[in-house]
Amino acid sequence: MSNDNSPTPFDPMAAPRYSELATFFRAPLAQSAKGIDIAVIGVPYDGSVTNRPGARHGPREIRNMSSMMRSIHHSTRRNPYEICTVADLGDVRFSEVFNVGTVITEIESFYSEIVRCGAVPLTAGGDHSITYPIFKALAVDGPIGMIQIDAHTDTWDSFQGSKFSHGAPFRRSVEDGLLDPEKTIQIGIRGAQNTTEGWDYSIDSGMRVVFMDELCEAGVDKIIGEARRIVGDGPTYISFDIDGLDPAFAPGTGTPEIGGISTLDALKLIRGLNGLNLVGADVVEVSPPFDPTGVTALTGATFMYEILCLLAEAVARGR
Amino acid sequence: MSNDNSPTPFDPMAAPRYSELATFFRAPLAQSAKGIDIAVIGVPYDGSVTNRPGARHGPREIRNMSSMMRSIHHSTRRNPYEICTVADLGDVRFSEVFNVGTVITEIESFYSEIVRCGAVPLTAGGDHSITYPIFKALAVDGPIGMIQIDAHTDTWDSFQGSKFSHGAPFRRSVEDGLLDPEKTIQIGIRGAQNTTEGWDYSIDSGMRVVFMDELCEAGVDKIIGEARRIVGDGPTYISFDIDGLDPAFAPGTGTPEIGGISTLDALKLIRGLNGLNLVGADVVEVSPPFDPTGVTALTGATFMYEILCLLAEAVARGR
Amino acid sequence: MSNDNSPTPFDPMAAPRYSELATFFRAPLAQSAKGIDIAVIGVPYDGSVTNRPGARHGPREIRNMSSMMRSIHHSTRRNPYEICTVADLGDVRFSEVFNVGTVITEIESFYSEIVRCGAVPLTAGGDHSITYPIFKALAVDGPIGMIQIDAHTDTWDSFQGSKFSHGAPFRRSVEDGLLDPEKTIQIGIRGAQNTTEGWDYSIDSGMRVVFMDELCEAGVDKIIGEARRIVGDGPTYISFDIDGLDPAFAPGTGTPEIGGISTLDALKLIRGLNGLNLVGADVVEVSPPFDPTGVTALTGATFMYEILCLLAEAVARGR
Amino acid sequence: MSNDNSPTPFDPMAAPRYSELATFFRAPLAQSAKGIDIAVIGVPYDGSVTNRPGARHGPREIRNMSSMMRSIHHSTRRNPYEICTVADLGDVRFSEVFNVGTVITEIESFYSEIVRCGAVPLTAGGDHSITYPIFKALAVDGPIGMIQIDAHTDTWDSFQGSKFSHGAPFRRSVEDGLLDPEKTIQIGIRGAQNTTEGWDYSIDSGMRVVFMDELCEAGVDKIIGEARRIVGDGPTYISFDIDGLDPAFAPGTGTPEIGGISTLDALKLIRGLNGLNLVGADVVEVSPPFDPTGVTALTGATFMYEILCLLAEAVARGR
Amino acid sequence: MSNDNSPTPFDPMAAPRYSELATFFRAPLAQSAKGIDIAVIGVPYDGSVTNRPGARHGPREIRNMSSMMRSIHHSTRRNPYEICTVADLGDVRFSEVFNVGTVITEIESFYSEIVRCGAVPLTAGGDHSITYPIFKALAVDGPIGMIQIDAHTDTWDSFQGSKFSHGAPFRRSVEDGLLDPEKTIQIGIRGAQNTTEGWDYSIDSGMRVVFMDELCEAGVDKIIGEARRIVGDGPTYISFDIDGLDPAFAPGTGTPEIGGISTLDALKLIRGLNGLNLVGADVVEVSPPFDPTGVTALTGATFMYEILCLLAEAVARGR
Amino acid sequence: MSNDNSPTPFDPMAAPRYSELATFFRAPLAQSAKGIDIAVIGVPYDGSVTNRPGARHGPREIRNMSSMMRSIHHSTRRNPYEICTVADLGDVRFSEVFNVGTVITEIESFYSEIVRCGAVPLTAGGDHSITYPIFKALAVDGPIGMIQIDAHTDTWDSFQGSKFSHGAPFRRSVEDGLLDPEKTIQIGIRGAQNTTEGWDYSIDSGMRVVFMDELCEAGVDKIIGEARRIVGDGPTYISFDIDGLDPAFAPGTGTPEIGGISTLDALKLIRGLNGLNLVGADVVEVSPPFDPTGVTALTGATFMYEILCLLAEAVARGR
C-alpha cells in the first residue's frame, strides 16, 4: 500500500498491527473478485433497524480491529491464506441509500458479480436486512441452507409498514425460495417479543429453532450435531448476528438481549462446523457508536477470521 | 402520552423503542395504585452508599433501557400485561433527601399507600438501603421471607457511625421483626471483608448464605431448590442487587466484586422461582455514571421484566 | 406523576433533579395542546441523515438533561412558566418510520393539530429534515421567516437520490412556498462541500448567509441586528442545529464541523432575538450515541430553555 | 517514595509523569503541617450535592492529573517549590461521613491544626459545602474576604430541609461572621434558578456579583481590577468551583451550566490576583465519574498549580 | 476500491462518508509518489513520548475522521483536488520499531523517496519526534523555515537519557543544520516546565517564540503578520502539534496543557499563511485512546485539509 | 498519611474507600523492603509492546482500584495482613526509559534489593517484558518454576528486531537459565499467530502448554492438579497476564483475544495454588486507556489480592 522498492516484498502481517490502512485482516485490496477465492466485503447499511442505529459504521471498525487477527489458527494450525486467495473487495456502493428497493438491488448486484467470478463472499454488516439481497445473489440454483447465530429469528413480517426491516430477512428469503427452512437452524434465540409471529413462522416453516434455554440444557456439542444434521451436505450459509452473543461479550449492537451465548461457546460452535459445504457467511449488527471499548468490533473481526478458516477449507475441498 | 385522536388507541409497544418518554416497560403512568396490580416505582436515593455513588440516577436510566423490553416471555409464552394491570407510579418523593430518618419515613409512607391499594410493588433503586423502609410497609402482618441476589450480605452493623448504610438493611430488618432470617436466602456472596461481622450475623440469625463457591459447586438448579425450600409458601420478597452479577455483565455499580453470577445463571435462578408467594421485589445498585455502555441498566431492566413475570403469575394465582 | 395526597401539590421543580420521569423541563405531560401556550414536542427521527446517525435518541436524552433547567432566567429575571402554560406533548408518532413520505405526513399532521389548538411548538429533533414538515403545518397563511443557527445551509438538492435528506429541508421549504428566503438568515455556515450548490441556492434565493468568517469579523451584536432587520415583524421560526456550535461545545452530532460558534456567543445571539414575532422553534441534530459526556444534550436542553423564554414573551405579547 | 540508596536523591519531577503514587504535584507526603508553608489537602466529600454526585472522587483524580504539572510557571518564570515548602497532607478523615454535623466538625478540626502550624491550605474538593468548615478554621481573627469563581452564588438557604447543602456555604459563612460579604466577589454567575433568593442574598448582603453577562461585556481585566479593589489587602480566600468554567472545558461536574468562563480567561483572572493577601484556596466540584476524557481533573489540577504559585508569592511576601 | 464495471467511475466523495476504507480525505491510494503533487502519509510511531502514549494510533483514526472532509473550501471556494494530484501513500514502514536510530533512518528514507519524486509531503503523526527525520529528507538544499503550532517548544535536550524524545526534534534539527532558527516561529507555547532550557534554547538560537500570553494580547492577525515576516519567501514547513490547541478542542493528546488556542483562532492562523513557499507539513500528537468523542481526530483531519489547501496553492504557484 | 494526633491510630481500611492516596491495598508506603514480608511494586513500563500501549498507566490505576480490596478472604477467612507485613514500595525508577537495556538493568537492580531484604515481590505491570528482569533478580540460586496465565506463550523470539519485546520474556528467561521450562505451565493460550515459533519453543523446551481448548475440555480442577504436579515444591512464580482472561472481563489490555478464561475460573485456579512454594508474582498488561469502565484495573487489583493471600501463606509456612 506504499512505495516500497525493496527486493523483499512488504508483509503487512509482519508490520505493527496499528499501522497502514485497515483492510479486512490486512488482506490486499482488489477491484474485482476475479482470481479471488474468498472475497471479504463491507455493507455499511443500517437503514432497516427497528431500534438503535450505528451498524453502518460496522465495516470500518471491524476492518480496524481485524488488524489484530493473525494467520495460523491455534487449534488447527492451518493458515487460510496459504490455502486460498483472500482479498478485501471494499464496500457495496449505494446510489440511493434511503431507498430500500435500490439498496436491495445494489447489494444483490454486487454479490452477483462476486458469485459470477466464482468467489465465496464473507461479509461485514451492516444490519441483518442485508442478508436477504445477498441470498438473492447466492441462491441462483435453488434455496440454500443456513446456520444462524442470533438472539432473534428475524422471521417477523412487517415492522412499521416495511417488509424489509432487519427483523424480516429470513421470512422474505423463504417466501422468495432463496432459503430452505428445512435446512435452516437458528441458534441463541431469546428475549421477549410483542407477538409470537416470528417464532411461529420459523417453527411452522420447518426451521430448527434453538432457544438459549435449549442451548444451555443440551450443550454446544449436541447443537453442533443438530446443525450438521440439518444442513447436511447442501450449500450452506453462516449468518452470525453479533447480538446472538451475550452483551457482556458484545455490548455494541442495536438490540442487545442479555443471557446470550458466550464467545467460548460460540467459538466452539463455529469450529464445529468445519467440513460443511459453505457458500458464504456474514457477521452483522456490530454498532460502533455503542461500543466504547471496541470489544464488539474485535469480537466481530475474530468471528470473521474463524469463519474465514472454515470457508478456506471449503474452498480447498471444492477444488 | 400525546395528542392522538385516531380511533385505534396508541400502542406504545408498537412504537419505535427509542420514542416517547421512558416509563418503566412503556407502561402507563398512574397517579395512584388504585386498580393497579403491579406498581413499578423508582427510588432515586444513594445517600447511604459506602463507596461509589450514582445509584440515584438508576431509576431514570433503567426506565430508559426498559423500553427495550417487550411483552411475551420467550420461555413461558406468557404476557404479564395480559395477566394483570401494570403501571409506572413514578418515583418516591423526598422532602429531606439528606436526612436518612426522613428518607426512611417517606419511602415507607409511599409504599404503605401502595400496599393499602392492594398493589404489589416492583422497585428500581437506588442503593440497597431502600429495601429496609420498603419492608416496613410490606411486613405489616409479620416478618416476610426473602430471596436475595447479592455480592454482600448487607447485614453489617454500623458504617461510619450510621446504622442505615446500604450494608445494613437486612440486619435492621431482622432486628425490627420485618424479615424472617429463617426464611431468607442470600445468593452470590463473595469478596473480602474487613470483619466477618456481616457473614456471621447472617449465619447466626439463621439465614441461608450461599457463597459463590457453593453456587458454582452445586449449580443453579440445586440452589433454586434450596431457595424454594427455605421460603416455602410464605410471603416472599426478591431483592436483586445488581452487584450479585459479575462486573462483566454489570460494571455500572458502586461496589463491584469480580467472580459473580452470570446473567444466564441469574435468569435461570429467577425463572426457577415461579410459583412462590411473592409480595414485592426490587432491583438495586445500578449506577449509570459507571456504566458507559448502558449494559448494566439494560440488565437491570431485564431482570425487572423477568421478576414482573413472576409477580404477575403470583397476582393471578392470588385472585 | 405519582400518588400524592398531600394538600400541598407536588412541585417537580423542588424535587431533586435526577428524580421522576424526565419530561421536557419537568413540565407536565399533556395529551392535547388545548389550553397550552407552548407545546414541547420530540421528533425521534434520523432516517434522513447523510452521515452518522443517532439523532433519533435526541428527544429522550434532551428530556433527561432538561431536568437541570430551572425557571427564572438569570438575565431577565423572567419565569416563562409564570407567563404562559407549557406542556410536554410527547413525541410525534410514526406508523411507517422507514417511509419518508409517511414520516413527513405524520409530522405535518401532528403539528397541524398543535397549530389548530393555538399552541406554539418547540421541538427537539431528530435530524434537520423534520423542520420541513413542521413548516408545512406552520406556514398555512403564507411563507414564514427563519433564523437558522447551523454549520450547513441545508439547502442542498438531492443526496443519494433523495430530495428529503437533512441537507435539503430549506430548499424544499422555499420551493413549496413555506419559507420566505428574503426573510431567512443562516448563521454559522462553514466547512468544505463537494459542490457550491447549497451555498448558491441560499444566496441566489435571497437568504442572508452568515459564514463563520463574517460572524467572527463582525461580532455577534451586528449579526443580531442583521437578523432582526431581515425577519422584521413577520412570523419567524428559530431553527437551531446543534452543529452550528463548535464541537468542543457540542461533540454529539452527526456532521460536526470544527470552528463553530461558542455557546457564549450563541446564547447572546438567541437572547438578542427577544421581541420578535416567533411562531415556533426547534433544536435538532443532538446525537446521544456520540455524546459520552452528555454535554451536547445539556446544551441542546439549555438552548431549548432559552428559546422557550423568547416564545413565552412572544405569546404574552400576542395576548 | 521507594527504596533508593543512591547518593543523588530521587527527584520525582524528573521521573516519567505516569510513575509512582500520585501525590498532589508530585510533592512529598507529610504527616503534619509543621514546617510546611503550603499544605495541599483533599476533602473527598460530596454528601451535600443537590444534583449529580461524584466529587468525592475528586481528590484522587486531581492528584493523578496533577502529576502533569511541572514547576516553573511559563509567564513568571517563578518556581513555587523554590519559594516555599509544599507538601501533600493527605485527605481529611471522616468518622461519620453520613452525618453532616460531624463532617463539618472534622473538616474544621483538620484545618485548625493546619492553621495552628502556620501553613496555608490549598484544597481539592469535594463539593462546595466543604468551604464553610474551612472558613471556620481560617477566620479565627474575624471575617475574611473571598474571590469566588462559580456558576452559582452558593448563598441559597435551605435545600430539601438542609442548611448545609453545596448551594449554601457562603450564606452560612456570612451568618457566622466568617466571611465578609463586602469583601466578597462572585464571578461567572449564570443559569436559571427557581427563586432569586441566592442572587438576592449575595447582592443584599453586599457581595459583588459578576454575572457572565457582565464578565463578557466588561472583559477580564476590568473584573480583575474590581476583585482587587474589593478584597483590598485584607486576608482573602480563593474559592474556585470548576463549574464556573464552561462545560466544554470542564464537563465533569455535578451541576454544569453552559455559557461559562473559558480556561484562558480564568487563567488570566487568577494570574491577575497576584500580590493579594491570600490565606487559602480551594478547587471544588470536580466529579470524575462524569469526566470520561479526564480533562476536568486536569483543569482542576492546573488551577491548583496556578493558585499555588499565588500562595507561594504571598507566603514569601509574608516572611 | 471495489469491483465497479459501470461506465461512470466511482466518486468516493459522493458516497456516504462512513463507507469504504478510510484513506486520507477519501483520496486514492498510491504505491509511489511518482506523478503525485501532494503525498499524504501516516507515521504511526509514538516510541518517543515522555508521558501518555497512543499517537501510534493517530494515522488510522485521522484517516477515519478525514472521510468527513469534503473538497471545496468554504472561504476560498477553491478545490485542492482540482488544483493538484493528491494521494494517500500509506504509512511509513518500520522494521525495528523499538530502535529509535532505525526509526529515524526509515522515516528519512521514506520521505527522501517522496522528495525525489517531487511530491510535497503532508503527514499525520505519530509523536512530534517524527518531524526531525522528515526534515532530514526535506532540508537537502539547506535549512528550512518553520511555522510551529504547539504548547511546547520541543527544543529540550535530553529526556531520560535520550536526545530523540518528542520534546527535542527542533533542537536536533537546528544542531544538524536542517532548520533555520531565524526563520522559525513557535506559536501557542505555554505550561510549566521543570527547567527553562527549552524556552531558552528557542530564544537564544533565534526562534520567535509566541507564548499564549502574547497571542491573546496581540491577536491572531498580528501573529500571522509576524509569521509571514519571519519565514519570508524561503522554503517553509508547517508543524501542527494538536496540543497547541486547548484540550476543550483536542483532549486526545499525550501532554495536554489547558489555556490553548481555540480552533477558530487556529483556523484563522492557518488560513493566514496562504501564499507562503510551503514544502511540507504535519499534524502530530493525536492520541485516539484518550479521545472518546473522536473530536481530536476530527480536528486533526480538518487541519490536515486546511493545510492541504495551502499546499495545493503552493504547488500550483510553483508550476 | 496525614496529621493525626488522636490516640487511636488511623485505620485506612476503615476509611471510605475513595479517600486518601491510593497505595496498593491501602497498605503503608515503605522506603525499603527491610522488615517487609511482601513488597508490592509497580513497574510502569510499556516500551516493549508490539501492539496497543498504555500499560505504563497500569500501576497507578491498579493502586486506585485496589482500595476496593478488603482484608479477610471470604473463602479461607484468612487475613493476609495479620499473617505477614505488606507494604507498597512504590514504582521502579527509570533513568533511561527509552533504553531497553537500562530498563532491564534497573528493574533487576530494584528487585535484587527486595530479594536481599528477604521480601517476596508482588508486582503490577507494565507490559509482560518486565518479568524477565524480575527473574534475573529472583533466580539467583538456579532456575525457578512458573505458573503463567496468559493468552500468549510469550516465548517468541525477535519482533521488529528486538529480542526483548513483551512476546519474548520467557524465551529469554529459559535461555539465561532463569526459568526451568520443565517446571513451567502456561494456561489460557489461544489466538492465531503468524508463525508457530512461540508455541513450538514452549513445547519443545518442555513447558506444559494448556490451550483454552484443553482448559475448557478438562476443567479447572484438572489443570490445577497439572500445575501443582509440574511445579512441585520448587520455587515458583505466578505470572498473570490480564489478557489470559476473556476481554468481557478484562477489555483494557493491549492484545486482547476473545474466548479466554472467565474470572470465576481464574479465581478457582489461583485459589487452587495454595500451598506452593511461591517466591513472587505479577499481574501485567492492564492498560487503563482502553478500560473506560475501570473493570480491568479492578480485576487486576483483585487478582493481586488473591495472589497476596497465597504469598502470605507461603511466607507464613516458610518461617
Side-chain angles (χ1 to χ4, degrees), chain A residues 52-55 57-66 68 242 245-254 256 285-301, chain B residues 65 291-295, chain C residues 288-292, chain E residues 61 288 291-293, chain F residues 52 247-248 251 256 258 289-293:
Chain A
R52 311 190 303 186
H57 300 288
R60 277 251 180 114
E61 197 55 24
I62 292 175
R63 276 192 181 92
N64 187 18
M65 283 294 177
S66 78
M68 295 224 226
I242 206 81
L245 299 176
D246 191 277
F249 301 89
T253 191
E285 299 283 359
V286 171
S287 177
F290 293 92
D291 192 33
T293 61
V295 82
T296 313
L298 173 71
T299 299
Chain B
M65 284 294 177
D291 192 33
T293 61
V295 82
Chain C
F290 293 94
D291 192 34
Chain E
E61 197 55 24
D291 192 34
T293 61
Chain F
R52 311 191 303 186
I258 72 166
F290 293 92
D291 192 32
T293 61

Side-chain angles (χ1 to χ4, degrees), chain C residues 94-105:
Chain C
F94 298 112
S95 64
E96 300 195 358
V97 80
F98 304 113
N99 182 331
V100 71
T102 315
V103 163
I104 289 172
T105 302

Side-chain angles (χ1 to χ4, degrees), chain D residues 2-3 20 31 60 67 91, chain F residues 3 20 31 60 89 91:
Chain D
S2 190
N3 62 333
E20 298 292 343
Q31 298 293 324
R60 277 251 180 115
S67 299
D91 283 358
Chain F
N3 63 333
E20 298 292 344
Q31 299 293 324
R60 277 251 180 115
L89 270 278
D91 283 358

Side-chain angles (χ1 to χ4, degrees), chain D:
Chain D
M1 265 161 288
S2 190
N3 62 333
D4 184 13
N5 305 316
S6 62
T8 0
F10 173 66
D11 175 9
M13 281 299 191
R17 286 176 277 179
Y18 43 81
S19 62
E20 298 292 343
L21 282 87
T23 62
F24 286 119
F25 311 126
R26 297 182 272 181
L29 284 172
Q31 298 293 324
S32 148
K34 274 175 210 140
I36 304 297
D37 292 322
I38 301 176
V40 197
I41 302 143
V43 187
Y45 177 72
D46 65 9
S48 295
V49 299
T50 59
N51 192 4
R52 311 190 303 186
R56 71 184 66 183
H57 299 289
R60 277 251 180 115
E61 197 55 24
I62 292 176
R63 276 191 181 91
N64 187 18
M65 283 294 176
S66 78
S67 299
M68 295 224 225
M69 302 298 103
R70 286 177 282 202
S71 50
I72 306 170
H73 194 282
H74 82 259
S75 299
T76 61
R77 300 291 172 103
R78 299 273 286 175
N79 178 343
Y81 309 106
E82 290 183 348
I83 303 175
C84 61
T85 315
V86 179
D88 183 330
L89 269 279
D91 283 358
V92 171
R93 290 165 180 176
F94 298 112
S95 65
E96 298 195 358
V97 80
F98 304 112
N99 183 331
V100 71
T102 315
V103 162
I104 288 172
T105 302
E106 293 183 338
I107 297 175
E108 179 186 355
S109 158
F110 190 100
Y111 281 82
S112 292
E113 176 64 20
I114 303 280
V115 170
R116 197 156 30 240
C117 293
V120 174
L122 173 58
T123 300
D127 72 45
H128 219 158
S129 72
I130 67 168
T131 310
Y132 169 60
I134 293 174
F135 281 3
K136 284 181 168 249
L138 279 179
V140 284
D141 301 325
I144 59 178
M146 173 173 66
I147 297 167
Q148 176 189 352
I149 317 291
D150 208 328
H152 317 92
T153 60
D154 292 358
T155 49
W156 265 257
D157 199 347
S158 290
F159 176 79
Q160 286 266 331
S162 168
K163 298 183 86 68
F164 301 104
S165 88
H166 72 154
F170 302 121
R171 190 169 188 134
R172 295 295 88 81
S173 296
V174 170
E175 289 170 354
D176 286 10
L178 308 169
L179 178 66
D180 182 346
E182 310 256 328
K183 293 195 171 305
T184 293
I185 183 168
Q186 303 185 307
I187 304 168
I189 307 305
R190 65 190 184 279
Q193 293 287 353
N194 290 325
T195 151
T196 63
E197 173 198 285
W199 301 329
D200 294 346
Y201 184 87
S202 285
I203 292 165
D204 294 348
S205 69
M207 295 179 183
R208 176 71 171 85
V209 182
V210 183
F211 282 85
M212 272 311 291
D213 314 57
E214 182 184 357
L215 181 63
C216 293
E217 199 66 31
V220 170
D221 284 329
K222 275 213 184 119
I223 301 306
I224 290 170
E226 193 74 352
R228 300 185 71 100
R229 186 184 62 74
I230 282 164
V231 301
D233 55 5
T236 300
Y237 189 87
I238 297 175
S239 192
F240 193 112
D241 186 321
I242 206 80
D243 71 23
L245 300 177
D246 191 276
F249 301 89
T253 192
T255 46
E257 307 278 356
I258 73 165
I261 312 177
S262 70
T263 48
L264 266 176
D265 276 352
L267 287 168
K268 195 177 182 186
L269 182 53
I270 291 296
R271 290 168 190 166
L273 303 179
N274 197 15
L276 297 180
N277 177 10
L278 299 173
V279 298
D282 59 43
V283 172
V284 297
E285 299 284 357
V286 170
S287 177
F290 293 93
D291 192 34
T293 61
V295 83
T296 312
L298 173 70
T299 299
T302 308
F303 278 99
M304 285 185 73
Y305 167 78
E306 291 279 340
I307 294 171
L308 174 71
C309 291
L310 300 186
L311 294 179
E313 300 293 348
V315 164
R317 277 193 313 276
R319 279 176 190 138

Side-chain angles (χ1 to χ4, degrees), chain B residues 21-22 29 60, chain C residues 1 12 19-30 40 59-60 62-68 87-90:
Chain B
L21 284 85
L29 285 171
R60 276 252 180 114
Chain C
M1 264 163 288
S19 62
E20 297 292 343
L21 284 87
T23 62
F24 286 118
F25 310 126
R26 298 184 269 180
L29 285 172
V40 197
R60 278 252 180 114
I62 291 176
R63 274 191 182 93
N64 187 18
M65 284 293 177
S66 78
S67 299
M68 294 224 225
D88 183 328
L89 269 279

Side-chain angles (χ1 to χ4, degrees), chain B residues 1-5 10 16-23 26 29-33 44-45 56-57 60-61 63-65 67 88-94 97 110 113-114, chain C residues 1-5 10 16-23 26 29-33 44-45 56-57 60-61 63-65 67 88-94 97 110 113-114:
Chain B
M1 263 164 288
S2 190
N3 62 335
D4 183 12
N5 304 317
F10 174 68
R17 285 176 276 180
Y18 44 82
S19 62
E20 297 292 342
L21 284 85
T23 62
R26 298 183 270 180
L29 285 171
Q31 300 292 324
S32 148
Y45 177 74
R56 70 184 69 183
H57 299 288
R60 276 252 180 114
E61 196 56 23
R63 275 191 182 93
N64 187 19
M65 284 294 177
S67 298
D88 183 328
L89 269 279
D91 283 359
V92 172
R93 291 167 181 176
F94 298 112
V97 80
F110 190 100
E113 177 63 22
I114 303 281
Chain C
M1 264 163 288
S2 189
N3 62 333
D4 183 14
N5 304 316
F10 173 68
R17 286 176 276 181
Y18 44 81
S19 62
E20 297 292 343
L21 284 87
T23 62
R26 298 184 269 180
L29 285 172
Q31 300 292 324
S32 149
Y45 177 73
R56 70 183 68 182
H57 299 288
R60 278 252 180 114
E61 197 55 24
R63 274 191 182 93
N64 187 18
M65 284 293 177
S67 299
D88 183 328
L89 269 279
D91 283 358
V92 171
R93 291 165 179 175
F94 298 112
V97 80
F110 190 100
E113 177 63 20
I114 303 281

